[in-house]
Amino acid sequence: MIKEKLGRVTAIIGAQWGDEGKGKLVDIVSSEYDIIARATGGANAGHTVYVKDPQTGETKKYVFHLLPSGALHEHTICVIGNGCVVHLPTLLEEIDVIQKSGLKTDGRILLSDRVHLLFDYHRVIDGLQEASKGDKKVGTTNRGIGPCYMDKASRKGIRACDFLKQDVFEAKLREVSGGLMKQYGFEYDVEKEIAYYRTIRDRIVPMIKDTFVYLHEALESGKSIVFEGANGVMLDLDHGTYPYVTSSNPMVGGLGTGTGIPNSHLTSLTGIMKAYVTRVGAGPFPTELLDETGNMLREKGGEYGATTGRPRRCGWFDSVVAKYSARMNGYTGINLTKLDVMTGLKTVKIGVAYKYEGKTLDSFPADLDMLEKSTVEYIEMLGWDEDISGATKLEELPQNARNYVKKLEELIGTPITFIGVGQRRDQMIVKK
Ligand code: GDP
Ligand code: IMO
Ligand code: MG
């Protein structure tokens, strides 16, 4: 039913500052698709999926960092595309978790031979770079993401295809880590790292594949694909709140560069937006709530990072961000998530314009100083008290919640096609 709606080649991306609830929707749609592919980012991502065990009735939580969030559906093939940066020990830990739940993984996980490998020294450098920034810290996830993409861009990265040739791989690792130790002045036991990588060869080598060819042949033979975005488009290296961004392109363009499948193949693109906004790490957040309402959203919404456990900053829905995000990516539909968390608020606000020196800005500005000096104009609407966590249809939502959804739809200029009313798979309204 969902595939009929989204078509054979669909993509799901984070439309705000990350943690919008990508994992949940990807898990839901994956039940009807053949292949799930990640294209960008690395283990900075933390995608949560809650699943009810049909036997025990217990709800189990999974957090995916590198594995696509469709991994819990045994019929799927999970692809980690060339645009990702991959810390192999983390990948193996995740595979172990799903194997322990009784799921088959052999032959189901494919790692692009063009993927850049992320080593422990990238994490050390991430920490050093952050420390050197003082109060201008980005607040990274400390997973080595920026330093690994730096090596990629400066053309000294080590790729999965290098790993296939043990002597080439080990020589490169010695050379690159030696250079970085000199440059950044840290100690690092590369021989210990090499010894570890020898022990995992047998598990990793069979996963490495030319996923460009695999994905194109799959498309040619009629298979269906879900592209799973990571992070969020407001963290995009080009279009986000630079320098408070990640080091890749979470926007729709990243799916093409990160897999080699042109965006023209997409039959739909769903942007995920929380019904309010959160951000973790430093950087501008115009509608941030530093008051009781912000605290309520954080506690009720469980707004603590899935990767780092850090408290997330919370604020009102920002339609300036939403419009910018929609223009940048051309969503065919929006999944509004966590509407249930707003239950109980007497009134709800939506940021609708930024004013700078008395004038309304046309769009989200590049200059963070200008953003800092801007004020946000809000509209206010009535909230709702009714428990909506069991709603399965739009008509079952209280009138005030429906008014809020309708207003957001108007402001974003894109249909809201899914509405999340709870953490579990079954707590999703699929709009007709
Ligand atoms: P992702 O990085 O975009 O996959 O999102 P995260 O997993 O980091 O954070 C989203 C959190 O919100 C997770 O704990 C999800 O289980 C939860 N979540 C997703 N959708 C909903 C929803 O509609 N309602 C509630 N209450 N929680 C949700
Ligand atoms: P998912 O996929 C939320 C943020 C970090 C930091 C900035 C740079 O779970 O939505 P990095 O480690 O990438 O160099 O950090 O980007 N960030 C995320 N915030 N969700 C994410 O991923 C994020 N990935 C990166 O907090 O502000
Ligand atoms: Mg997350």
Side-chain angles (χ1 to χ4, degrees), residues 99-150:
Q99 270 178 353
K100 277 199 193 113
S101 342
L103 290 159
K104 265 205 322 259
T105 55
D106 282 0
R108 284 187 55 216
I109 294 152
L110 307 179
L111 187 61
S112 163
D113 54 3
R114 291 177 171 88
V115 120
H116 279 253
L117 298 180
L118 187 151
F119 298 94
D120 287 350
Y121 57 74
H122 289 120
R123 296 177 169 203
V124 175
I125 298 168
D126 199 346
L128 292 171
Q129 286 180 339
E130 282 284 89
S132 74
K133 289 188 174 133
D135 63 1
K136 298 217 163 48
K137 273 188 189 45
V138 175
T140 72
T141 57
N142 209 19
R143 294 296 186 275
I145 305 296
C148 187
Y149 279 119
M150 275 168 64

Side-chain angles (χ1 to χ4, degrees), residues 255-401:
L255 303 176
T257 45
T259 56
I261 299 294
N263 287 349
S264 54
H265 282 281
L266 293 180
T267 50
S268 62
L269 171 66
T270 305
I272 317 255
M273 297 188 183
K274 263 182 203 170
Y276 48 96
V277 177
T278 65
R279 172 165 204 168
V280 58
F285 184 173
T287 60
E288 183 168 15
L289 283 163
L290 298 164
D291 60 8
E292 272 315 302
T293 309
N295 293 341
M296 174 287 220
L297 291 171
R298 182 177 314 105
E299 294 314 315
K300 196 164 166 214
E303 297 296 358
Y304 291 87
T307 296
T308 58
R310 290 180 294 177
R312 295 175 183 149
R313 301 155 63 193
C314 299
W316 294 121
F317 190 93
D318 186 334
S319 74
V320 179
V321 165
K323 258 185 241 167
Y324 176 63
S325 169
R327 271 180 157 174
M328 188 199 307
N329 298 285
Y331 308 120
T332 54
I334 300 293
N335 174 196
L336 191 72
T337 63
K338 305 191 96 158
L339 190 64
D340 54 301
V341 176
M342 299 186 83
T343 299
L345 290 170
K346 281 206 163 40
T347 58
V348 292
K349 286 192 185 178
I350 307 171
V352 290
Y354 296 168
K355 280 242 156 145
Y356 177 70
E357 295 182 342
K359 285 205 191 96
T360 301
L361 295 180
D362 290 338
S363 179
F364 196 89
D367 181 351
L368 299 194
D369 186 49
M370 188 187 232
L371 191 58
E372 172 86 39
K373 291 184 181 131
S374 300
T375 51
V376 182
E377 289 195 340
Y378 291 93
I379 54 168
E380 192 162 10
M381 300 177 75
L382 289 174
W384 58 94
D385 262 333
E386 299 87 338
D387 177 8
I388 60 169
S389 62
T392 55
K393 293 193 202 80
L394 189 67
E395 300 73 51
E396 289 169 14
L397 292 179
Q399 189 59 48
N400 288 348

Side-chain angles (χ1 to χ4, degrees), residues 19-23 46-48 50 312 338 340 420-423:
D19 302 329
E20 301 90 347
K22 297 173 286 296
H47 297 177
T48 317
Y50 283 89
R312 295 175 183 149
K338 305 191 96 158
D340 54 301
V421 291
Q423 290 176 327

Side-chain angles (χ1 to χ4, degrees), residues 78-96:
C78 295
V79 172
I80 301 176
N82 59 273
C84 298
V85 286
V86 176
H87 184 247
L88 292 174
T90 303
L91 176 63
L92 291 180
E93 271 172 33
E94 279 179 48
I95 294 175
D96 289 345

Side-chain angles (χ1 to χ4, degrees), residues 180-245:
L180 291 168
M181 275 190 276
K182 255 193 224 138
Q183 188 183 342
Y184 289 93
F186 66 93
E187 288 297 317
Y188 176 74
D189 190 350
V190 68
E191 295 310 320
K192 194 170 150 206
E193 182 104 321
I194 284 174
Y196 166 77
Y197 279 97
R198 285 183 186 161
T199 67
I200 62 168
R201 286 194 75 73
D202 290 351
R203 291 188 73 188
I204 299 297
V205 169
M207 290 194 260
I208 301 175
K209 204 172 170 76
D210 187 336
T211 55
F212 174 88
V213 171
Y214 173 79
L215 289 172
H216 277 279
E217 287 183 354
L219 279 177
E220 282 151 23
S221 68
K223 292 241 177 343
S224 55
I225 305 187
V226 182
F227 291 100
E228 174 177 359
N231 325 129
V233 306
M234 295 306 286
L235 293 167
D236 189 275
L237 183 57
D238 288 79
H239 301 285
T241 46
Y242 190 90
Y244 299 97
V245 292

